[in-house]
Amino acid sequence: MHLPQITELLRQHRSIRRFTDQAIDPVLLNDLITAGQSASTSSYIQAVSVVQVNDAGLRNQFAELAGGQKYVQTAAEFLVFCADLNRNSQRASRVAGEALDFAWTEQFVTAVVDTALFAQNVVISAEANGLGCCYIGGIRNNPQRVTELLALPDLVFPVFGLCLGYPDQSPERKPRLPLTTVLHKDRYQSALEFAAEIDGYDAHVRDYYERRSQGKLTMTWSEQMSKQAQTQTREFMQEYLKTQGFMHK
Ligand SMILES: Cc1cc2nc3c(=O)[nH]c(=O)nc-3n(C[C@H](O)[C@H](O)[C@H](O)COP(=O)(O)O)c2cc1C
């Protein structure tokens, strides 16, 4: 079957972590952000703001707080995608003539979903234009510091960063779970029912990591998940979000 070009493009995705020096035309960058804005948005909330980080000193600080990720410094562009209910709160309060806070947990969820959809539109559009991208969730290692560095007000949460630039590498595609394990028919099917398929996938992932690391890294997907499940993960997040004004209700 001949797949439409866009589907083929999506299947070719891989994160890019090494970039050439070539700059991104500002007109193209604006087009990418406009593509992001074109994504669906829950109840029309449009709860997304993007901060373009140009300053080299700031970039260094982001690279460091993300755990020493050098490509944050070297990418042509580094964007921070924020779930932003501050604008909504301001405008709603102005119309209502009283302070309206947007502090429901559901509103937080919709703002984060909006942010992800917006960003993925940017990524697809960027890849269609020959650019490479890498999301940087590492900025959530220290959301308070990001909040200070970017002067984020209440009800603005930095969800992730994004490195963008012209690729200086062509990595192998990273294998995904078998389709049968993610596409459920009429009822949810537990991973127990797909043990053999996931065992096969694990072997495939081990080969992938061994090839990518010239034999230095041997890990299956299940082993990676086991390690993650046993690692404390950004335990400050709930407190941080409440301090930022989110999820009081
Ligand atoms: C929200 C999000 C945050 C991520 N954060 C990082 C990151 O901090 N550093 C990094 O190198 N890759 C990061 N990634 C990239 C993932 O590691 C990558 O997408 C995954 O391993 C699959 O590889 P692929 O994108 O090449 O197919 C992130 C991806 C997402 C969706």
Side-chain angles (χ1 to χ4, degrees):
M1 189 179 71
H2 179 69
L3 292 168
Q5 266 183 338
I6 181 74
T7 309
E8 203 36 62
L9 176 85
L10 293 173
R11 289 184 173 207
Q12 289 306 319
H13 162 78
R14 71 264 343 243
S15 293
I16 295 298
R17 298 181 175 86
R18 213 172 60 219
F19 301 95
T20 70
D21 292 337
Q22 190 179 343
I24 300 174
D25 186 328
V27 176
L28 173 58
L29 188 71
N30 285 349
D31 283 345
L32 302 183
I33 300 301
T34 306
Q37 287 192 281
S38 307
S40 293
T41 163
S42 317
S43 306
Y44 201 30
I45 55 171
Q46 304 185 73
V48 186
S49 281
V50 183
V51 184
Q52 182 182 10
V53 182
N54 294 329
D55 181 85
L58 257 185
R59 283 273 200 111
N60 290 347
Q61 295 189 65
F62 273 105
E64 207 169 296
L65 72 82
Q69 302 200 51
K70 271 206 166 314
Y71 26 101
V72 172
Q73 289 162 284
T74 53
E77 295 289 345
F78 181 65
L79 307 176
V80 177
F81 285 82
C82 302
D84 180 2
L85 289 169
N86 181 284
R87 186 170 46 224
N88 304 59
S89 170
Q90 280 195 43
R91 297 303 299 186
S93 302
R94 185 179 161 127
V95 171
E98 60 172 313
L100 298 173
D101 60 9
F102 280 81
W104 291 103
T105 299
E106 170 63 10
Q107 290 168 325
F108 172 73
V109 171
T110 52
V112 172
V113 170
D114 259 31
T115 307
L117 297 178
F118 184 124
Q120 187 60 14
N121 263 20
V122 172
V123 166
I124 294 166
S125 192
E127 291 179 348
N129 281 282
L131 293 165
C133 306
C134 186
Y135 283 104
I136 304 293
I139 66 163
R140 292 196 309 276
N141 287 342
N142 197 337
Q144 189 53 50
R145 185 85 188 108
V146 176
T147 300
E148 288 156 14
L149 288 173
L150 300 181
L152 303 180
D154 272 8
L155 293 173
V156 179
F157 168 48
V159 184
F160 41 68
L162 185 72
C163 296
L164 274 167
Y166 289 92
D168 191 24
Q169 63 178 173
S170 182
E172 193 183 324
R173 285 167 63 198
K174 201 165 178 177
R176 297 300 199 258
L177 285 161
L179 180 69
T180 47
T181 67
V182 297
L183 178 61
H184 305 232
K185 302 281 164 101
D186 293 328
R187 64 170 181 91
Y188 184 83
Q189 285 161 286
S190 152
L192 281 173
E193 296 182 44
F194 296 111
E197 282 94 332
I198 299 179
D199 285 347
Y201 174 66
D202 272 342
H204 193 33
V205 171
R206 187 193 296 110
D207 290 348
Y208 161 83
Y209 276 129
E210 281 178 0
R211 267 196 312 280
R212 197 176 98 170
S213 68
Q214 280 93 40
K216 281 185 233 127
L217 179 63
T218 295
M219 196 183 282
T220 68
W221 178 77
S222 299
E223 284 166 356
Q224 197 173 334
M225 294 308 107
S226 170
K227 200 170 154 203
Q228 276 183 27
Q230 295 173 65
T231 311
Q232 196 176 36
T233 170
R234 298 172 185 151
E235 68 290 348
F236 45 77
M237 195 53 77
Q238 191 180 42
E239 199 184 322
Y240 163 79
L241 288 171
K242 290 210 161 141
T243 309
Q244 270 304 92
F246 292 105
M247 297 198 301
H248 284 274
K249 304 191 272 193

